Amino acid sequence: MINVLWSCFILIGILFTFLCGDLNAINNTILTSAKSGFDMIIDLVPILVLWSGIMKISEKSGMLDKIARLFLPVLRKLFPSLKKDSKALGYISSNIAANALGLGSAATPFGLKAMEEMQKENKNKEVASDAMITFLVLNTSGVTIIPTTVIALRMMYHSHNPEEIIIPAILATICSSTAGLILDYIRRKKR
């Protein structure tokens, strides 16, 4: 569906350019957008590598296990259908920790592993379990304490105060997480 939507946007833009008669604009936009996109990726890679390395060191040192134990009482309430010794709980807490630091890219492998472990415990392999749905809600709305990637993007584009996004980001993600978890709880109770 998203591919269709983006294809329509691109076609409408090209059609509009033809109707306005400014074909050079589309060529310039394509070339400059590709360059700015590449430059943005090159600028973000060191930040993602740094935080991914920190997450890997945390994982190897056992710090993520300590964080997982810290989150465990809350996670057991959010995921009552998972076994108490489920590996998924560790991956879920690692995912939450990475998302809290604003590292969606570093959180993705933990999220995939968590889903894989939850699928192993899922009785009906054709349908997502309640735990999987709750995790998806939590992961999608994930509470971000330090929006690292957004701050880096704001710094790249010379924002006067790139860190000013922290408090609004915390408030927005707390609201979205709370609303998502409440709706998920209501959905589970109706079943």
Side-chain angles (χ1 to χ4, degrees), residues 12 43 54 61 81 86 116 139 146 164 185:
I12 290 168
D43 289 342
I54 289 171
S61 70
S81 62
S86 176
E116 191 177 291
N139 193 40
I146 305 169
E164 72 185 355
Y185 179 78

Side-chain angles (χ1 to χ4, degrees), residues 7-127:
S7 297
C8 288
F9 286 155
I10 291 169
L11 290 174
I12 290 168
I14 291 171
L15 182 64
F16 184 76
T17 304
F18 279 122
L19 293 175
C20 290
D22 193 6
L23 296 177
N24 286 333
I26 197 163
N27 290 332
N28 290 336
T29 302
I30 289 171
L31 294 174
T32 57
S33 296
K35 183 187 179 318
S36 76
F38 181 76
D39 290 343
M40 183 177 66
I41 290 170
I42 294 299
D43 289 342
L44 283 177
V45 165
I47 294 163
L48 293 173
V49 168
L50 171 73
W51 283 103
S52 295
I54 289 171
M55 290 300 290
K56 197 63 160 170
I57 291 168
S58 300
E59 182 182 15
K60 296 281 185 189
S61 70
M63 188 172 142
L64 283 181
D65 290 334
K66 290 177 183 170
I67 292 171
R69 277 187 244 125
L70 183 72
F71 284 130
L72 210 54
V74 175
L75 292 179
R76 283 198 180 127
K77 295 221 185 290
L78 288 174
F79 301 96
S81 62
L82 291 179
K83 297 174 186 170
K84 290 185 180 193
D85 61 341
S86 176
K87 282 183 172 182
L89 291 172
Y91 289 123
I92 290 169
S93 61
S94 299
N95 178 275
I96 290 169
N99 275 328
L101 295 173
L103 304 169
S105 299
T108 300
F110 295 120
L112 293 173
K113 284 287 196 184
M115 282 293 198
E116 191 177 291
E117 290 297 324
M118 286 187 278
Q119 181 65 6
K120 288 178 186 175
E121 295 182 30
N122 191 0
K123 292 177 181 133
N124 183 356
K125 303 293 184 193
E126 300 297 316
V127 178

